[in-house]
Amino acid sequence: MSGVGGAPGAGPSGRGGEHVPGPSGSGTVVLELGPGTGALVLHAPAKLDGAEIEISMSGSTSRVHSMVRPRHVGGGTQYAAVYPGLPPGDYTIWRHDCTPVATVHVTGGTVTAAAWPGQ
């Protein structure tokens, strides 16, 4: 995966002509949380709309990705990627395949909110 920032197909049209879901409204994302499961909401600038942002748990080489999408909440629009079902721990947020931009800690039973650097 190419991460964000100049990745082919990054943006509203998606990769390789894939369908990109439209904006989500308030209450349309359901997250299951518990002692061994948390979630991450990564707030991002509008320019990353449609980009796939990867994260990896500390010490792991496997990554998961989520698409930045517009989310209509409270009379406005925010852009965010949502990562459900994460085991508790520290996660690296990746800009490109080899460029880490931040580390966040996810706690079981909670939703961790983080912002894309510079936002």
Side-chain angles (χ1 to χ4, degrees):
M1 303 222 160
S2 299
V4 297
S13 62
R15 295 178 186 268
E18 292 177 14
H19 171 72
V20 176
S24 61
S26 181
T28 61
V29 177
V30 177
L31 301 173
E32 292 187 32
L33 303 171
T37 305
L40 170 64
V41 175
L42 178 62
H43 298 278
K47 69 182 180 184
L48 292 181
D49 183 17
E52 298 270 347
I53 299 177
E54 295 180 328
I55 65 170
S56 62
M57 189 173 204
S58 182
S60 174
T61 58
S62 65
R63 297 184 184 182
V64 296
H65 63 91
S66 182
M67 181 182 292
V68 174
R69 296 180 52 205
R71 311 212 181 246
H72 300 303
V73 293
T77 300
Q78 297 180 2
Y79 293 83
V82 177
Y83 304 85
L86 297 175
D90 292 325
Y91 287 82
T92 300
I93 301 169
W94 297 91
R95 179 182 313 267
H96 300 290
D97 286 342
C98 59
T99 308
V101 295
T103 301
V104 297
H105 183 78
V106 173
T107 302
T110 65
V111 177
T112 299
W116 184 258
Q119 176 159 329

